[in-house]
Amino acid sequence: MSVVVRAPAKINLQLSVGPLRDDGYHELVSVFHAVSLVDVITAQRGEGVQVSMSGEGSESLATDDGNLVVQAIHALAQHAQIDPHVSIHVEKSIPLAGGMAGGSADAAGTLVACDALWGTGLSREELADIGARLGSDVPFALFGANAIGRGRGEEIMPVLGQGQFHWVFALADEGLSTPAVYRQCDTLRQGEQIRPPEVSDALLHALRQGDANALAAALHNDLQPAAISLRPALRSLLEAGVEYGALAGVVSGSGPTCAFLCRDSAHSIDVAVAMTATGMCRTVKRATGPAPGARVVTPTG
Ligand code: ATP
């Protein structure tokens, strides 16, 4: 039998970075939005643990113990007190180190796939507890849709919304390291009084209304100045997206992927074509959100 799971990328509609905590993490408020750009995780019974990857960035990703897929397999097996026997293949579409939490999506997808394959029957909440220890964004990748994330981003609360939003993503040649972007954010804000972050009411209202124009006006990412200062070309990329008609552009998470919000599907095709023609990014992808969290799409026997 094999189990196929689709696990979504995320963008942060809002990412507000608060003060640095004693444990070295920043206090965050994030409004997560899962999108239909997915990694596909296929799990089959095997001897021991076998992991292979193809697609976006996979050539530079080792399948050793540092890989979040391998870590997720062992974490679930340990929790369920079983010997891990599984063969997993991940077809990646989510850019590596792109600020879209592809590694967390793979970890979430692996937890769901192994849970189904091994019949461990854990709830989403139990999987999220295991996932939170693997990475702050793993719980959200399990729940998907729209959610507020607090703490390091791992405390998830669903957000009501309606309608679908249409996005164009501009993928860069090279990723950005998340810790390096946070360090740069600290450097840029040195001497500033950093207040505890709060969720934007305007953003929540835009989601409830399904209003793309209001959402465009409310998009906000505190890491954007840091990402731009490390990768200055992002500034002109963001400007170009808006010039070519996007309602707004924002750096996704720690970057360097830029997300452009469009009015509807046809508009997103126009923006994607225009962005491709600029030659300012490696690849352009379209997706919609909110998308469901990591879920089994085809168990075959
Ligand atoms: P973040 O969740 O911090 O925003 P990101 O989206 O920028 O991360 P990811 O692609 O999730 O970037 O991966 C960040 C790092 O995690 C990679 O550079 C890689 O070293 C490591 N990693 C481990 N396993 C995986 C995996 N299965 N897929 C992607 N990255 C992985």
Side-chain angles (χ1 to χ4, degrees), residues 10 12 39 53 60-62 66-71 90 92 94-107 137 176-179 182 252-256:
K10 62 83 187 164
N12 306 83
D39 283 356
M53 309 195 97
S60 56
L61 204 53
N67 196 301
L68 285 158
V69 170
V70 177
Q71 292 177 18
V90 182
K92 285 188 75 67
I94 308 173
L96 188 67
M100 301 190 82
S104 300
D106 294 351
D137 292 342
L176 271 174
S177 144
T178 305
Y182 274 97
S252 175
S254 53

Side-chain angles (χ1 to χ4, degrees), residues 5-92:
V5 171
R6 287 162 66 90
K10 62 83 187 164
I11 58 173
N12 306 83
L13 302 174
Q14 176 189 349
L15 179 52
S16 296
V17 180
L20 201 57
R21 309 192 311 196
D22 290 342
D23 63 3
Y25 287 95
H26 292 82
E27 189 64 31
L28 300 180
V29 162
S30 170
V31 179
F32 289 113
H33 179 71
V35 294
S36 61
L37 181 63
V38 298
D39 283 356
V40 178
I41 294 103
T42 304
Q44 286 175 311
R45 291 209 172 269
E47 271 301 305
V49 172
Q50 290 158 353
V51 174
S52 60
M53 309 195 97
S54 57
E56 268 291 335
S58 58
E59 62 292 339
S60 56
L61 204 53
T63 49
D64 58 12
D65 289 350
N67 196 301
L68 285 158
V69 170
V70 177
Q71 292 177 18
I73 293 169
H74 288 293
L76 181 62
Q78 199 179 9
H79 180 92
Q81 298 188 314
I82 56 173
D83 285 335
H85 290 293
V86 64
S87 167
I88 287 201
H89 181 78
V90 182
E91 171 63 30
K92 285 188 75 67

Side-chain angles (χ1 to χ4, degrees), residues 1-5 41-45 87 113 116-117 296 298-301:
M1 131 155 168
S2 71
V3 175
V4 182
V5 171
I41 294 103
T42 304
Q44 286 175 311
R45 291 209 172 269
S87 167
L117 191 72
V296 174
T298 49
T300 50

